[in-house]
Amino acid sequence: AETDFVAKRTPMQEREFERYEKMFHQVHQELKEGKRTIRKFEDVEQNLKENRFYLLDGLLLYLESVDIGRDNVQLGENTRRRLDGRTRTIFENGILSNMLYRSLGKSLYSKGKLISEAIDLYTEDLFVNAYCVNEKDVQTGWIYVVKSKSDNPNISTIKDLYKIGFSTTSVKERIKNAKNEATYLFADVKIVATYKIYNRNADKLENLLHRFFANACLNLDLFDDKGQRTTPREWFVVPFDVIDEAINLILNSNIVNYEYDVENQKIKLRS
């Protein structure tokens, strides 16, 4: 791996490196501001990805692309296929390398780190600490989770279908006209849970939850009695215990470290 790295590196032209230099400056700034973190590097195929930043021997590097393929590797009596191929890797000192994907991974294992993705300011601004509420804090609304009572088979047969919403008034007051509103699928609903929100806009927290579960959003067109089509975007096919977990991660300011795995219906650490 080391020989491959040394033999294939070349200096970039100043003009060519210019845009990468700006990217490296930005990453350094985001690290300083806490928007990115330096993490242990492990699991090559899970964590070594295009368009990501890493730290190797004290230098930032940017993995721009991989000409990826799979090699057969003999392990005793078994043969395993693994990813490999030439990379386009740019270092912050202006060096361009086409080292092999697995060679880069091996180097990062032994003397490198992973640089996390940046936390965007919008998400950062949504944090609420639910465990530091005192008499000076102001309740700004409720986040609520409801389940539909619809007898429409296109809705009633969907397991783990919930609406995540917000209200500045009591939730009971908000849902009293549910059967006449498209956002409630033109049916009454059952309150599953409510969460008091302090010192932040509940609608922004709702929006963050919608973004977090975006891949599990219900995709269904509804028509009112006038034939007008609507597509509600606040209903999600997610188990309630997972929704509850996500809300508590937001309230504890930890949501940025996690993502929703829609296939396995669980929350996992960001890769």
Side-chain angles (χ1 to χ4, degrees):
E2 191 67 25
T3 302
D4 175 67
F5 166 63
V6 172
K8 304 297 182 181
R9 61 179 183 176
T10 55
M12 298 181 73
Q13 295 295 320
E14 186 175 342
R15 181 173 293 181
E16 183 185 10
F17 180 64
E18 196 173 77
R19 73 182 185 92
Y20 298 104
E21 188 174 30
K22 291 178 181 178
M23 292 167 61
F24 287 123
H25 284 320
Q26 182 177 343
V27 171
H28 276 295
Q29 185 63 32
E30 289 168 345
L31 283 167
K32 187 181 298 184
E33 294 173 355
K35 296 176 188 176
R36 291 181 185 263
T37 57
I38 299 173
R39 301 177 182 175
K40 181 180 179 182
F41 180 84
E42 52 191 0
D43 192 343
V44 172
E45 294 189 11
Q46 178 68 28
N47 290 312
L48 190 54
K49 299 179 180 179
E50 294 179 338
N51 301 312
R52 295 288 294 269
F53 291 90
Y54 303 88
L55 192 66
L56 181 60
D57 283 333
L59 281 177
L60 279 180
L61 68 86
Y62 174 61
L63 178 57
E64 185 171 51
S65 62
V66 185
D67 183 13
I68 206 71
R70 284 189 178 271
D71 291 337
N72 291 328
V73 180
Q74 194 71 32
L75 298 173
E77 297 180 354
N78 300 316
T79 299
R80 182 169 66 89
R81 291 176 62 77
R82 67 179 188 181
L83 294 174
D84 207 357
R86 289 289 171 186
T87 70
R88 179 177 168 85
T89 302
I90 296 96
F91 289 80
E92 65 176 327
N93 61 357
I95 296 298
L96 170 65
S97 170
N98 70 342
M99 65 195 303
L100 288 168
Y101 176 82
R102 300 207 76 83
S103 296
L104 176 57
K106 185 176 180 180
S107 296
L108 289 170
Y109 260 131
S110 61
K111 48 190 175 182
K113 298 288 184 181
L114 180 152
I115 305 296
S116 73
E117 292 289 83
I119 301 169
D120 62 88
L121 287 175
Y122 175 74
T123 300
E124 190 175 38
D125 186 53
L126 298 179
F127 291 158
V128 176
N129 191 331
Y131 305 105
C132 294
V133 176
N134 58 49
E135 66 275 6
K136 294 181 181 179
D137 291 310
V138 178
Q139 183 180 341
T140 51
W142 287 262
I143 293 291
Y144 63 86
V145 180
V146 296
K147 191 171 182 64
S148 179
K149 293 182 178 180
S150 175
D151 55 10
N152 181 338
N154 291 325
I155 296 170
S156 61
T157 56
I158 300 175
K159 183 182 178 182
D160 295 325
L161 177 63
Y162 297 96
K163 172 181 164 64
I164 303 171
F166 89 96
S167 179
T168 54
T169 61
S170 74
V171 178
K172 285 185 178 180
E173 180 69 19
R174 177 68 185 89
I175 67 172
K176 68 180 183 181
N177 197 39
K179 64 183 179 182
N180 297 315
E181 296 185 38
T183 190
Y184 294 106
L185 309 180
F186 297 116
D188 288 328
V189 294
K190 174 186 177 182
I191 297 174
V192 177
T194 61
Y195 306 80
K196 291 181 180 180
I197 303 301
Y198 292 84
N199 305 328
R200 288 291 188 276
N201 291 334
D203 60 333
K204 289 187 177 181
L205 294 174
E206 176 206 37
N207 188 272
L208 176 57
L209 284 163
H210 290 180
R211 289 166 57 193
F212 189 77
F213 289 121
N215 291 337
C217 184
L218 176 68
N219 185 16
L220 179 70
D221 290 335
L222 293 176
F223 296 86
D224 62 19
D225 53 9
K226 296 180 181 179
Q228 296 292 319
R229 184 180 71 177
T230 59
T231 306
R233 307 304 298 168
E234 299 178 344
W235 290 82
F236 301 86
V237 183
V238 179
F240 170 69
D241 61 332
V242 177
I243 296 173
D244 183 66
E245 182 183 359
I247 291 172
N248 281 291
L249 283 171
I250 291 175
L251 298 178
N252 292 333
S253 304
N254 290 322
I255 194 72
V256 294
N257 298 316
Y258 295 86
E259 61 188 0
Y260 182 58
D261 180 347
V262 67
E263 184 175 343
N264 295 304
Q265 291 192 309
K266 66 179 183 179
I267 293 172
K268 65 178 184 179
L269 280 169
R270 284 182 179 274
S271 57

